[in-house]
């Protein structure tokens, strides 16, 4: 199964992708996680990405394309993968088509997890993440708080707020989404791959709606 998720920052893509990856043993490729890791490790990609991420802007396409070219050709992706956060504009989507043809693969489904902006800001600003790479669990101070304040339920690491999840940058990231990323909805609709799932609700209900989409796909 090769699935692509679209959705604004805070729509819940990361949470749903993780659940799906676990259920179907798929490789979850989150562009944001890959870039944050690159920044942390001071790699060439990380050095190129940092200034854009700090401003809530898109990192240059070439950085993402190189990262995904390398990832998609690895054996762990052969069983299937979930793309989360890439592509983020039409040029990247066209490059993804090219990358997929290089590995002789197609996308099976594109899911647009849509959520009104009014609830995205609160979701993003309250988000806390586990910085432990092997865990990367996500919490929310109000909607899914950890059992012990500030501590990851899964591995006990102190939770942090992503620097770009602060209120000053959230509006900028949402406007980048509307201007550059949302045109991908029509791009994938035209390829007959798009399914819309309402991202405003309980995590389990949203997951059930996603599974329904995937089942429908497997029947037809
Ligand atoms: P995310 O964790 O998906 O919200 O991404 C965090 C930041 O990483 C974004 O605000 C961008 O600066 C950068 N980023 C993630 N994915 C991409 C992409 N496909 N193209 C360009 N920049 C990206």
């Amino acid at each position: 199964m090769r699935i692509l998720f679209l959705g604004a920052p805070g729509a819940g893509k990361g949470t749903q992708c993780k659940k799906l990856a676990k259920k179907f043993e798929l490789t979850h490729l989150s562009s944001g996680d890959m870039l944050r890791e690159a920044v942390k490790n001071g790699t060439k990609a990380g050095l190129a990405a940092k200034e854009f991420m700090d401003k809530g802007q898109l990192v240059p396409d070439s950085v993402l394309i190189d990262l995904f070219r390398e990832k998609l050709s690895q054996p762990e992706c052969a069983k299937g993968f979930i793309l989360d956060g890439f592509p983020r504009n039409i040029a990247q989507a066209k490059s993804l088509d090219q990358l997929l043809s290089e590995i002789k693969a197609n996308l099976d489904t594109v899911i647009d997890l849509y959520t009104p902006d009014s609830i995205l800001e609160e979701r993003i600003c309250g988000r806390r993440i586990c910085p432990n790479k092997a865990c990367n669990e996500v919490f929310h101070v109000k909607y899914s708080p950890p059992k012990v304040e500030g501590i990851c339920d899964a591995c006990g690491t102190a939770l942090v707020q992503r620097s770009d999840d602060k209120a000053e940058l959230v509006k900028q990231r949402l406007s980048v989404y509307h201007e550059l990323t949302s045109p991908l909805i029509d791009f994938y609709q035209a390829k007959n791959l798009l399914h819309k799932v309402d991202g405003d609700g309980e995590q389990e209900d949203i997951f059930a709606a996603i599974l329904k989409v995937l089942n429908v796909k497997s029947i037809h």
Side-chain angles (χ1 to χ4, degrees):
M1 226 180 325
R2 298 181 204 95
I3 308 165
L4 163 60
F5 270 79
L6 297 176
K13 298 188 297 299
T15 305
Q16 298 297 332
C17 288
K18 268 190 207 135
K19 285 163 82 73
L20 212 53
K22 197 167 163 199
K23 186 172 173 73
F24 294 109
E25 293 183 19
L26 301 170
T27 299
H28 174 200
L29 299 174
S30 155
S31 56
D33 286 349
M34 284 157 65
L35 288 169
R36 278 183 288 280
E37 187 61 18
V39 170
K40 202 160 99 189
N41 294 336
T43 65
K44 198 173 145 215
L47 293 174
K50 187 172 184 325
E51 61 170 303
F52 297 94
M53 295 174 79
D54 286 346
K55 287 190 271 188
Q57 294 171 354
L58 291 190
V59 171
D61 296 343
S62 59
V63 175
L64 275 297
I65 293 159
D66 287 350
L67 279 177
F68 276 83
R69 172 172 284 116
E70 199 207 316
K71 278 279 178 196
L72 288 173
S73 61
Q74 285 176 8
E76 73 202 52
C77 287
K79 275 200 294 183
F81 51 79
I82 307 175
L83 297 176
D84 165 11
F86 174 81
R88 210 81 153 212
N89 59 28
I90 296 283
Q92 291 182 11
K94 290 183 176 163
S95 297
L96 173 62
D97 282 347
Q98 174 64 33
L99 294 183
L100 291 172
S101 79
E102 284 169 22
I103 57 165
K104 301 191 172 33
N106 287 312
L107 290 176
D108 297 306
T109 304
V110 177
I111 293 178
D112 174 33
L113 203 54
Y114 65 93
T115 316
D117 274 14
S118 51
I119 66 169
L120 290 173
E121 287 190 40
E122 192 194 11
R123 276 202 197 165
I124 301 174
C125 294
R127 181 159 64 184
R128 298 292 180 272
I129 59 165
C130 173
N132 170 7
K133 188 189 169 225
C135 178
N136 269 340
E137 220 29 71
V138 181
F139 298 87
H140 190 281
V141 289
K142 185 165 158 195
Y143 301 117
S144 52
K147 292 193 186 84
V148 179
E149 195 186 329
I151 301 294
C152 176
D153 288 351
C155 73
T157 303
L159 300 176
V160 296
Q161 182 178 36
R162 274 171 48 178
S163 55
D164 61 348
D165 276 353
K166 306 219 161 100
E168 316 82 83
L169 275 187
V170 170
K171 280 197 193 315
Q172 159 72 12
R173 288 169 59 211
L174 288 175
S175 94
V176 166
Y177 173 79
H178 289 300
E179 187 191 339
L180 299 173
T181 310
S182 67
L184 294 180
I185 295 170
D186 286 346
F187 181 88
Y188 287 110
Q189 177 82 65
K191 289 176 181 280
N192 250 331
L193 289 172
L194 193 83
H195 292 266
K196 289 188 159 288
V197 171
D198 188 349
D200 182 9
E202 296 296 323
Q203 282 182 16
E204 289 309 322
D205 296 339
I206 298 167
F207 192 57
I210 291 170
L211 291 183
K212 201 167 156 201
V213 164
L214 298 176
N215 281 335
V216 167
K217 281 296 284 186
S218 65
I219 293 165
H220 295 293

